Amino acid sequence: MSYLKIKRLFDFLLSIFGLVVLSPVFIILIVAIKLDTKGPILFKQKRVGINKTHFYILKFRTMRIDTPKDTPTHLLSNPDKWITRTGKFLRKTSLDELPQIINIFKGEMSIVGPRPALWNQYDLIEERDKYKANDIPVGITGWAQINGRDELEIEEKAKLDGEYAKRIGFFIDLECFIKTLFSIIKSEGVVEGGTGVYTKKEV
């Protein structure tokens, strides 16, 4: 059995376990979001999955309902203006990512893999093509995330995603998972409106 099949089995079983165990947390966060601002509980956004297929990623809504659509947070002129009070907490703790367990259950994502690009982040998608990083399952966390998260520029993110694509296996997945937990605890690497842009080279 190939590792990708084993990886999918682990993802499926762990997603079921996560949905059951974390259901009380889901309920608390749903109530908090509804009490904070009007609007839907979940935020859906078109993203790029394995082999550049499209799917809708799920997150707890952290921004106002009038926020410009399909625009990465770091490209907004004043990101804090659009983030709700509950949203700031959810982003700082990465709890806004919890609904992606549903994406994992459905087979659209994995626990570990390159973070799915927005459908219109053509520069990132193109860079990942160079390293075959679009040919593997996307994930909640990945090699790039534990090596810089939002501070990394697109070229560096793509290189790290490509490195993961070459090394994909149980031990690198385990390393990503464990280091992500420590990163969340320390709130490291989360920069609203940070970098993650394409660096144009001088000719």
Side-chain angles (χ1 to χ4, degrees), residues 15-37:
S15 64
I16 294 175
F17 178 78
L19 287 171
V20 172
V21 172
L22 295 174
S23 56
V25 178
F26 272 78
I27 293 171
I28 292 171
L29 295 180
I30 287 169
V31 172
I33 293 168
K34 293 302 291 184
L35 291 177
D36 188 13
T37 58

Side-chain angles (χ1 to χ4, degrees), residues 91-92 94 97 144-153 157 180 183-184 187-190 195:
R91 285 173 171 240
K92 184 176 181 180
S94 295
E97 310 284 354
Q145 280 60 53
I146 66 171
N147 285 285
R149 298 188 75 169
D150 294 331
E151 290 95 339
L152 294 176
E153 293 180 347
K157 282 183 180 179
T180 296
S183 180
I184 292 172
S187 296
E188 290 178 344
V190 180
T195 56

Side-chain angles (χ1 to χ4, degrees), residues 68-138:
K69 297 183 183 298
D70 291 330
T71 303
T73 304
H74 67 267
L75 293 182
L76 295 171
S77 58
N78 183 10
D80 286 334
K81 168 186 175 182
W82 305 100
I83 302 172
T84 65
R85 289 173 299 175
T86 303
K88 290 179 181 179
F89 169 76
L90 292 174
R91 285 173 171 240
K92 184 176 181 180
T93 57
S94 295
L95 288 172
D96 60 316
E97 310 284 354
L98 281 183
Q100 288 165 50
I101 296 175
I102 299 172
N103 291 119
I104 295 172
F105 175 78
K106 293 168 65 178
E108 297 166 333
M109 292 179 64
S110 177
I111 294 173
V112 179
R115 281 297 294 165
L118 280 164
W119 66 272
N120 57 357
Q121 283 184 295
Y122 305 116
D123 47 2
L124 176 57
I125 297 167
E126 184 178 352
E127 282 293 311
R128 283 178 171 170
D129 268 337
K130 297 177 182 178
Y131 307 102
K132 298 184 178 180
N134 289 315
D135 303 337
I136 58 175
V138 294

Side-chain angles (χ1 to χ4, degrees), residues 144-202:
Q145 280 60 53
I146 66 171
N147 285 285
R149 298 188 75 169
D150 294 331
E151 290 95 339
L152 294 176
E153 293 180 347
I154 279 176
E155 301 97 321
E156 185 61 25
K157 282 183 180 179
K159 286 180 182 178
L160 289 168
D161 290 334
E163 183 180 337
Y164 172 78
K166 286 183 179 179
R167 297 175 53 194
I168 189 169
F170 175 76
F171 291 106
I172 192 171
D173 278 0
L174 183 62
E175 182 179 353
C176 289
F177 183 77
I178 293 174
K179 287 187 176 180
T180 296
L181 293 180
F182 281 107
S183 180
I184 292 172
I185 293 171
K186 295 179 181 179
S187 296
E188 290 178 344
V190 180
V191 179
E192 301 303 343
T195 56
V197 295
Y198 188 82
T199 301
K200 294 183 178 179
K201 296 179 174 62
E202 295 183 0

